[in-house]
Amino acid sequence: MGEESQFSDVEEDRQLVEEEKRNIVEHSSLNPVAPSFYPSPVKKKFRNYTQISEGRGIGCWQTVYQFSDVDVIPHDYGGDRLKDDNETIILFDPPVYIQRYSAVVSEIFDYPNYRRMVDFGSSTCAVFRYLKTLSFLEEIVLVDVDESTLRNNCDVAKPTICDSLERRTQPLEVFIMSGDMSEFEDRLQGCDIVTGIEVIEHLYPDTLEKVPEMIFRRIQPKLVLLTTPNKEFNVLFRNSKEMRHWDHKFEWTRDEFKNWCEKICSSYPDYSFEIKGIGQGFAGSEHLGCCSQMAVFKRISPNDEFQSVIHEEMSRTPHNKWKKYKVVAHYSYPVYRETRTQDQIMLDNARFKISSLVWENRMDRSLTIFVQVSEILNYLLEIDKTADKERILSNLVTIGELCFVNRQCEALPIYDGRVQKLV
């Protein structure tokens, strides 16, 4: 009897999990990161999925679990675990680390003219998966003091087969470097963007003291993004301790972080800052702020001439000319280089449109298909709105309104009553 009851409980739990998956798929159209769910060792009274915020590209979702008589954490799938006064376990989905990456990429996305960036505290290089989606970046430098961790994870930044098939329109050089955040590397001077995601709290006070000078006086970036835990939020974590991680040297409240940022801007008046929250808590915890806090420093009057000169100098500098940092890995991404003339591109696009029209009319048993030249013309003008209509028509070798297309996808336009082949 006991065994039958046990098996029925397992089956019931499995059905609940399957229902869980179906529900989240129905409600997660804004969330490209499909969350994973696993059976819990206890039954839930209810499951509620509520969208609490929406960032660019990644929606932020909360999964609320209500447990029966015992307080047992379900199988963790990477989310941060919170607990409110009603013994409700809350998991952030996507996990807060993904929300941090999304927030950083969202800020950089607004500056498509920036080309070079450096990320300090890269560790497992996981942030690169998000940075590589920014097609305008031409150089990404990932720096961490732990060389062994970088070597074990540097393949994350290695170009894949897909990168060769769908090549970037801009070149991209990726450097994975072993180095100290407080030491200045000449080659980083003039980088457009500097990021440090949950890294400053791992620095000893004497090291942290050197960081502002190294970033704001020596590198002089246009945009600086630094995230760090919000100490006030720690009370919401189950089994919360004074520090979230054994290696944290400190954790700041929102006021302490703001004071640190104000001191930086007072020392370097060319910069302004604002602080944003990452990882919103559940209703009723607003007074504690968010799980993480991000300082966004912007250069008030970017020296574009200085940046462009430095960028050109760095492009001529050999990739192995690093003085303080050690190169762990270096990858050059495949880039697509257009070798066709504008007229050739136009004809290739016309042939593509003609092939599509032939496919759409594939059920027609006739050997010849009539195609409106105006349809091809409109398609080409949609691709290049600045194209000259007369130039397109001259390239298509036709002034008629119809053209024949045979089954080999060759267009035979009518021109002065004569049939000519599209070449």
Side-chain angles (χ1 to χ4, degrees), residues 16 54 95 116 126 139 181 214 243 280 322 325 335 348:
L16 287 173
E54 180 186 351
R116 302 173 60 222
E139 181 177 291
M181 184 178 183
M214 196 275 293
M243 299 286 185
Q280 182 180 345
W322 294 83
Y325 293 172
V335 60
D348 286 343

Side-chain angles (χ1 to χ4, degrees), residues 38 94 97 99 101 106 115 149 169 172 180 183 189 206-207 220 227 234 283 292 305-306 311 344 373 392 420:
Y38 300 93
Y97 78 92
Q99 295 182 43
Y101 295 160
S106 179
R115 296 288 179 261
T149 300
T169 57
L172 175 61
D180 191 338
E183 291 185 353
Q189 186 178 23
D206 57 336
T207 304
Q220 300 183 32
T227 76
N234 290 356
S292 283
E305 184 178 350
F306 166 76
H311 181 70
Q344 288 174 330
V373 172
I392 294 177
Q420 300 188 8

Side-chain angles (χ1 to χ4, degrees), residues 33 58 76-80 92-105 124 126-127 129-130 197-198 227 244 278-279 291-292:
V33 181
I58 293 182
D76 183 25
Y77 55 87
D80 293 279
F92 287 100
D93 188 21
V96 177
Y97 78 92
I98 293 182
Q99 295 182 43
R100 294 188 193 106
Y101 295 160
S102 178
V104 167
V105 171
T124 59
V127 68
R129 293 189 177 96
Y130 300 83
I197 304 174
E198 306 294 287
T227 76
R244 294 188 194 178
I278 302 174
C291 183
S292 283

Side-chain angles (χ1 to χ4, degrees), residues 151-194:
R151 290 196 180 279
N152 291 335
N153 295 277
C154 62
D155 285 348
V156 170
K158 190 175 183 179
T160 64
I161 294 177
C162 292
D163 294 315
S164 296
L165 295 176
E166 189 173 350
R167 302 192 173 198
R168 300 171 63 95
T169 57
Q170 298 288 342
L172 175 61
E173 299 291 330
V174 181
F175 296 91
I176 300 178
M177 312 296 299
S178 173
D180 191 338
M181 184 178 183
S182 62
E183 291 185 353
F184 174 67
E185 169 59 59
D186 292 344
R187 209 175 183 282
L188 296 181
Q189 186 178 23
C191 268
D192 299 304
I193 306 166
V194 170

Side-chain angles (χ1 to χ4, degrees), residues 373 377 388-399:
V373 172
L377 178 62
D388 181 26
K389 181 177 178 180
E390 296 299 326
R391 184 178 180 83
I392 294 177
L393 289 174
S394 64
N395 276 289
L396 293 177
V397 202
T398 179
I399 57 174

Side-chain angles (χ1 to χ4, degrees), residues 333-398:
Y333 270 65
V335 60
Y336 176 76
R337 302 189 184 279
E338 184 61 76
T339 58
R340 298 173 296 171
T341 64
Q342 288 299 319
D343 291 343
Q344 288 174 330
I345 294 173
M346 190 182 302
L347 289 176
D348 286 343
N349 289 332
R351 290 190 180 97
F352 173 79
K353 181 62 177 177
I354 291 170
S355 300
S356 300
L357 294 172
V358 170
W359 175 255
E360 292 174 4
N361 295 275
R362 62 188 181 278
M363 302 307 293
D364 189 348
R365 296 185 178 276
S366 60
L367 296 177
T368 303
I369 299 173
F370 290 94
V371 176
Q372 292 282 349
V373 172
S374 59
E375 192 170 357
I376 301 175
L377 178 62
N378 292 335
Y379 172 75
L380 295 177
L381 289 174
E382 285 179 7
I383 296 177
D384 186 2
K385 291 182 172 54
T386 62
D388 181 26
K389 181 177 178 180
E390 296 299 326
R391 184 178 180 83
I392 294 177
L393 289 174
S394 64
N395 276 289
L396 293 177
V397 202
T398 179

Side-chain angles (χ1 to χ4, degrees), residues 64-307:
V64 179
Y65 290 85
Q66 179 73 50
F67 287 87
S68 51
D69 297 326
V70 291
D71 182 16
V72 182
I73 295 292
H75 293 283
D76 183 25
Y77 55 87
D80 293 279
R81 302 184 292 272
L82 310 179
K83 184 179 71 171
D84 66 7
D85 295 336
N86 298 321
E87 300 300 322
T88 300
I89 303 301
I90 298 178
L91 305 179
F92 287 100
D93 188 21
V96 177
Y97 78 92
I98 293 182
Q99 295 182 43
R100 294 188 193 106
Y101 295 160
S102 178
V104 167
V105 171
S106 179
E107 289 291 334
I108 299 175
F109 183 83
D110 292 331
Y111 302 92
N113 294 325
Y114 295 177
R115 296 288 179 261
R116 302 173 60 222
M117 74 158 291
V118 55
D119 176 67
F120 290 105
S122 299
S123 185
T124 59
C125 306
V127 68
F128 180 78
R129 293 189 177 96
Y130 300 83
L131 295 175
K132 72 181 291 187
T133 62
L134 301 170
S135 58
F136 50 84
L137 291 179
E138 296 181 1
E139 181 177 291
I140 299 176
V141 182
L142 306 177
V143 181
D144 198 274
V145 71
D146 190 345
E147 181 179 344
S148 61
T149 300
L150 290 175
R151 290 196 180 279
N152 291 335
N153 295 277
C154 62
D155 285 348
V156 170
K158 190 175 183 179
T160 64
I161 294 177
C162 292
D163 294 315
S164 296
L165 295 176
E166 189 173 350
R167 302 192 173 198
R168 300 171 63 95
T169 57
Q170 298 288 342
L172 175 61
E173 299 291 330
V174 181
F175 296 91
I176 300 178
M177 312 296 299
S178 173
D180 191 338
M181 184 178 183
S182 62
E183 291 185 353
F184 174 67
E185 169 59 59
D186 292 344
R187 209 175 183 282
L188 296 181
Q189 186 178 23
C191 268
D192 299 304
I193 306 166
V194 170
T195 60
I197 304 174
E198 306 294 287
V199 62
I200 59 174
E201 64 272 10
H202 293 270
L203 304 179
Y204 286 102
D206 57 336
T207 304
L208 179 65
E209 199 173 311
K210 302 175 184 177
V211 169
E213 180 185 359
M214 196 275 293
I215 294 177
F216 296 96
R217 190 176 76 84
R218 305 295 295 276
I219 298 180
Q220 300 183 32
K222 300 176 184 177
L223 179 67
V224 180
L225 305 173
L226 300 174
T227 76
T228 191
N230 173 19
K231 184 178 180 180
E232 299 167 73
F233 200 83
N234 290 356
V235 297
L236 298 180
F237 287 105
R238 185 171 181 265
N239 299 326
S240 60
K241 300 178 181 179
E242 186 176 350
M243 299 286 185
R244 294 188 194 178
H245 190 272
W246 64 268
D247 190 48
H248 285 185
K249 308 304 184 294
F250 62 88
E251 287 179 3
W252 281 333
T253 64
R254 287 172 291 174
D255 287 339
E256 289 173 332
F257 188 43
K258 181 181 178 181
N259 292 336
W260 184 72
C261 295
E262 288 176 344
K263 289 179 181 178
I264 290 176
C265 289
S266 63
S267 300
Y268 305 96
D270 288 340
Y271 288 88
S272 63
F273 81 96
E274 64 174 321
I275 296 179
K276 300 182 178 181
I278 302 174
Q280 182 180 345
F282 50 78
S285 65
E286 292 83 1
H287 63 288
L288 298 173
C290 295
C291 183
S292 283
Q293 44 193 344
M294 177 172 68
V296 181
F297 294 90
K298 297 178 183 178
R299 195 175 181 89
I300 298 174
S301 55
N303 190 343
D304 294 331
E305 184 178 350
F306 166 76
Q307 299 278 355

